Structures are given as C-alpha cells and as structure tokens.
C-alpha cells in the first residue's frame, strides 16, 4: 500500500527545477528542494488504535520518487476509519539527539546549531522575492516551546475490511498561495513565523 504520492503543482506531479507561471500574472516559481518528515502513523477505528506503523519516521523527498510511497502490508482483515500521522519530528525524539535511518543528519534535515530536526524544507525561487536571485528558503523545525511546529494530521475514511491506505498528496498550489513572497521568503529557525507557516499544513496535505 502506498501512503504518499508526488507533490502536485498546477494539476500535475511536481517537476523539480521547472519554472511554473502563476495564474494570469507574469510571476514564476521554481521548486528546487522539497523534503519533509512524517511519523507516528496510526490507524484507528471507533476511537481505538488498531495498527501502528513499525517505523517511527519516514523522510519524503521530492527528488527521490521511491521515498514518496510508504509501502507496507497491513494486517489481514484490518478495518479502520481514521488515519493519523505527525508532520515533523516530535519533541521526545528530538531530545534523544542524533539518530540513524531516516533521521540520519546526512539526509540534510538536522540543525547542528539548533540540535534539532527540520520538519519541512522548501527551497526555490519566486520572481516576487526581493532576495538575491529571487531565492526563498523555508526550513520549518524546532521542538522547544513556544516554538514547536510539528503538526498532527487526521484523515477520516469509510470503514472497510482490507481497505488499502489512502494516497495523500501535498497541494503546492494552496501552500504557495498562502505565502506572501514579497515579504516572507526566509525562515531558518524556530520562530512565530515558522509556527504560522506550519499551522497551514493540515490544509494542504489532502486525499484525492
């Protein structure tokens, strides 16, 4: 079963480093890097936990198509009506320090100077950005209050026996529309701006 699909922009699977013209304007956006952590994936039925994914965290990377499908065999006869997951790495995992696997700092998702994981990384260029080369950088992370932007996402489903996992996708159109690139184009530390950015995630991770 596959849980994640390719991020989508303008009705199609995202092509990294491709220029997209935005609506009727002359503005263009180019996504160069997109990565995020998902974890604590749980399936529920009538408010009771019926299955928890064995891996604590997965790293989804737009540049690595095979990372976008969390493929696994669900137990035979399983019935569930809700999928829950975390977008980002929770405080207790962060407090354990550097780890391996998906959480290996070699994946480029760890702040050595902050001693914590980056939950969501989005980099590219947008012609509305006043920065050098019109570049934008959004590294959303942190785990100490008051700036802990990890988000819990929940998706309701009709209960069916042996139901495959839903295929979720990131609606980049909605996310980009939410950002005012003329004034906001650089977040690289835990902050109120990072919290505001992360608060929008439950509205842009969708089921088809």
């Amino acid at each position: 079963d596959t849980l994640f699909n390719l991020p989508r922009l303008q009705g199609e699977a995202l092509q990294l480093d491709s220029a997209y013209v935005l609506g009727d304007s002359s503005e263009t956006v180019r996504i160069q890097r997109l990565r995020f952590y998902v974890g604590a994936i749980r399936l529920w039925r009538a408010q009771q936990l019926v299955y928890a994914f064995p891996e604590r965290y997965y790293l989804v990377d737009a540049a690595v198509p095979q990372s976008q499908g969390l493929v696994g065999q669900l137990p035979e006869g399983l019935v569930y009506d809700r999928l829950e997951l975390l977008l980002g790495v929770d405080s207790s995992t962060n407090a354990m320090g550097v780890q391996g696997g998906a959480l290996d700092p070699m994946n480029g998702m760890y702040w050595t100077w902050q001693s914590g994981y980056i939950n969501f990384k989005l980099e590219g260029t947008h012609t509305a950005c006043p920065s050098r080369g019109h570049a934008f950088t959004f590294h959303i992370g942190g785990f100490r209050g008051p700036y802990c932007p990890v988000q819990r996402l929940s998706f309701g489903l009709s209960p069916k026996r042996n139901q495959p996992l839903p295929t979720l996708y990131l609606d980049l159109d909605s996310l980009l529309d939410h950002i005012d690139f003329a004034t906001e184009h650089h977040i690289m530390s835990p902050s109120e701006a990072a919290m505001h950015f992360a608060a929008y995630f439950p509205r842009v991770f969708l089921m088809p």
Side-chain angles (χ1 to χ4, degrees), residues 151-167:
Q151 297 288 313
R152 183 173 297 278
L153 310 185
S154 180
F155 304 88
L157 302 107
S158 298
K160 299 176 184 176
R161 188 172 299 276
N162 295 324
Q163 179 172 214
L165 287 169
T167 300

Side-chain angles (χ1 to χ4, degrees), residues 103-180:
L103 297 173
D104 192 319
M106 292 296 291
N107 292 321
M109 295 290 284
Y110 190 79
W111 279 320
T112 54
W113 58 277
Q114 283 281 348
S115 297
Y117 286 94
I118 300 168
N119 297 335
F120 183 93
K121 177 180 284 190
L122 179 66
E123 300 174 1
T125 62
H126 191 295
T127 50
C129 287
S131 57
R132 184 174 181 179
H134 303 296
F136 62 81
T137 304
F138 298 112
H139 293 182
I140 310 301
F143 66 100
R144 293 190 178 94
Y147 306 128
C148 183
V150 65
Q151 297 288 313
R152 183 173 297 278
L153 310 185
S154 180
F155 304 88
L157 302 107
S158 298
K160 299 176 184 176
R161 188 172 299 276
N162 295 324
Q163 179 172 214
L165 287 169
T167 300
L168 309 179
Y169 71 97
L170 171 56
D171 179 8
L172 278 171
D173 293 277
S174 182
L175 181 60
L176 295 176
D177 285 346
H178 178 66
I179 303 169
D180 181 1

